[in-house]
Amino acid sequence: MIIEDNAQAIGAEWNGQKTGSLGDAAGFSFYPGKNLGALGDGGAVTTNDDRLAATIRSLANYGSNKKYINDFKGMNSRLDELQAAFLSVKLKYLDADNQKRREIARFYLENITHPEITLPAIPASATVFGSHVWHLFVIRTAHRDKLQQYLTEQGIQTLIHYPVPPHRQQAYREYRNLPLPVTEKIHHEVLSLPMSPVLTIEEAETVVNALNRFKTDS
């Protein structure tokens, strides 16, 4: 069975097929900051397997298909009606919002020229580029912490997704001694730039200009 993580890719495509339909089931996140975000926490699972769908519904409802009868060790994980109503409206604008994200991403890719900043590597072809939804725009630099402080001073907010690699987390301490140098290097270098469908090209230009002026030796 293939379970697809579609938390950050809603609206994207792979070889012409929408993500979220590539496996036996897919998980979606509707956290407010996602491309399709609710006004509070929320999520969904999609599948075309009726038996699996029934099990998932049960797990989200205390593991119960019948009140007070529990078939599984479930949880209370139902999407409330109010959040669903907001999402049903916002869904209509998802493709247009994703296109705005692509425009910002292309502007970044074409105009960030700092030699010590590594940009996302993605083919420039219209087909491939047009299938990406740019939930995040993540750059890399060996001067990450200094760059983030500099951008903060310029009034530009950035975030680090994610500062601690999984094998260094207390929850996975049994893997702590694994040698994973590439993973650790990435976690020390990544920085997420402003990305949103409401971000204007003029605002993106401010980000680009600040990045290209960054001095690594000051």
Side-chain angles (χ1 to χ4, degrees):
M1 177 177 291
I2 298 175
I3 300 176
E4 183 183 353
D5 178 358
N6 201 45
Q8 297 187 358
I10 185 168
E13 294 183 1
W14 177 258
N15 290 331
Q17 184 175 346
K18 289 288 188 183
T19 59
S21 65
L22 304 176
D24 299 288
F28 291 75
S29 170
F30 300 137
Y31 182 78
K34 294 296 195 294
N35 291 38
L36 179 62
L39 300 191
D41 283 330
V45 177
T46 59
T47 180
N48 60 3
D49 184 320
D50 291 339
R51 183 178 178 184
L52 180 58
T55 301
I56 292 169
R57 290 192 186 97
S58 178
L59 288 169
N61 187 46
Y62 311 112
S64 174
N65 287 308
K66 183 179 180 181
K67 194 169 185 178
Y68 303 130
I69 304 298
N70 301 91
D71 299 314
F72 307 100
K73 296 176 182 177
M75 63 199 76
N76 181 0
S77 186
R78 301 182 298 267
L79 183 67
D80 72 76
E81 291 86 347
L82 189 60
Q83 299 300 336
F86 289 132
L87 289 165
S88 67
V89 173
K90 294 183 70 176
L91 180 60
K92 301 172 186 176
Y93 303 96
L94 177 63
D95 288 342
D97 284 349
N98 283 341
Q99 181 57 34
K100 292 176 184 176
R101 288 174 178 270
R102 293 185 190 104
E103 292 168 4
I104 297 298
R106 188 176 292 279
F107 185 84
Y108 281 156
L109 291 170
E110 292 176 350
N111 292 281
I112 297 173
T113 58
H114 197 293
E116 296 188 65
I117 292 176
T118 301
L119 299 173
I122 181 171
S125 71
T127 300
V128 176
F129 191 86
S131 67
H132 201 303
V133 294
W134 299 101
H135 170 60
L136 301 173
F137 190 95
V138 183
I139 61 172
R140 288 175 51 196
T141 178
H143 310 279
R144 191 268 305 285
D145 294 341
K146 184 176 182 180
L147 175 58
Q148 185 177 41
Q149 179 61 37
Y150 161 76
L151 291 174
T152 298
E153 293 169 356
Q154 301 296 309
I156 299 170
Q157 183 185 45
T158 58
L159 293 171
I160 300 172
H161 296 91
Y162 298 84
V164 183
H167 71 292
R168 295 297 185 188
Q169 299 280 1
Q170 179 66 17
Y172 298 102
R173 57 190 177 277
E174 64 268 28
Y175 302 115
R176 183 161 291 178
N177 294 325
L178 286 177
L180 300 173
V182 174
T183 295
E184 294 183 14
K185 178 180 174 64
I186 289 171
H187 280 268
H188 284 123
E189 294 185 350
V190 292
L191 188 66
S192 298
L193 299 184
M195 171 56 72
S196 165
V198 300
L199 191 71
T200 66
I201 292 296
E202 290 74 22
E203 290 168 332
E205 186 175 15
T206 298
V207 176
V208 167
N209 290 339
L211 285 168
N212 289 338
R213 290 194 305 264
F214 176 58
K215 304 296 184 184
T216 59
D217 55 357
S218 59

